Amino acid sequence: MRVKKALTAVGVVLAVGAVAVTCASGEEEKSTYVGAAEVCDGVFAGPLEQTVESVTGATSFYRLSNEGVGLVSENLKEGHASGRSWTGGRKLCEMVVKDDYGRDDATIDFSIYAPQDVGDVKPREGVRYFSLGKESFATSLGARMYFECVSPQMKGSDERPARINAGFTHAKDRGDALENLQANMTVVNAAALAVAEKLDCENNGGLREKPDLQPLP
């Protein structure tokens, strides 16, 4: 009995000590999973959380250390400064759905695009074009937007605007009804706007928080 009481007392002391250390450090253990508000550097926190849940078909995602808006913006600045017509992409984030193994992860990426990548708008099955940026389109599996940025952070962009390509891939296939394509377009617009604001793009690169999502004829 004495031994049991002694062990119990030791356990209490250790538990209190552990709590004290946690409180002293000011750190809280983070959960393995997050909601739509926390994915992609918090870009979708607020009204767009439900949109993210719709396009991914999920409400819970693995907590990941993603690139974030800041690092993507730095990569774009470097790409523009290189003078090359295009540069390789960098991921803003991956939205890895909890316990959905074997599925491609919904991803948002950015890169510098070449001039010839836009302007060839032709009707394609399952593709709808929108009047966002220089060119934009959506499918049942994602969306892509091309826009230009004139910014004091990008030397020479007043004469040669930075050409930015924002892509959203591997959305959950909900069919090609217009409302589904608009939701995919909404996601890529929000991510592009966050990057445009971080880069101090003039007039936010022509992007708006509440864009016109009527498709082109």
Side-chain angles (χ1 to χ4, degrees), residues 11-12 19 34 37 62 64 69 72 74 84 89 91 99 136 143 177 179 186 194 210:
V12 170
V19 171
V34 297
Y62 283 95
L64 299 176
V69 173
V72 165
E74 289 301 317
R84 298 193 297 272
K91 295 177 183 178
D99 298 334
S136 58
E179 63 181 15
T186 296
K210 294 182 179 180

Side-chain angles (χ1 to χ4, degrees), residues 1 18 28 39-41 132 169 189 191 197:
M1 181 64 72
E28 294 183 5
V39 298
C40 299
D41 209 12
L132 306 182
T169 56
N189 178 79
E197 290 176 340

Side-chain angles (χ1 to χ4, degrees), residues 52-71:
V52 170
E53 293 172 355
S54 171
V55 301
T56 59
T59 58
S60 185
F61 308 85
Y62 283 95
R63 181 186 296 277
L64 299 176
S65 178
N66 288 302
E67 299 286 3
V69 173
L71 290 177

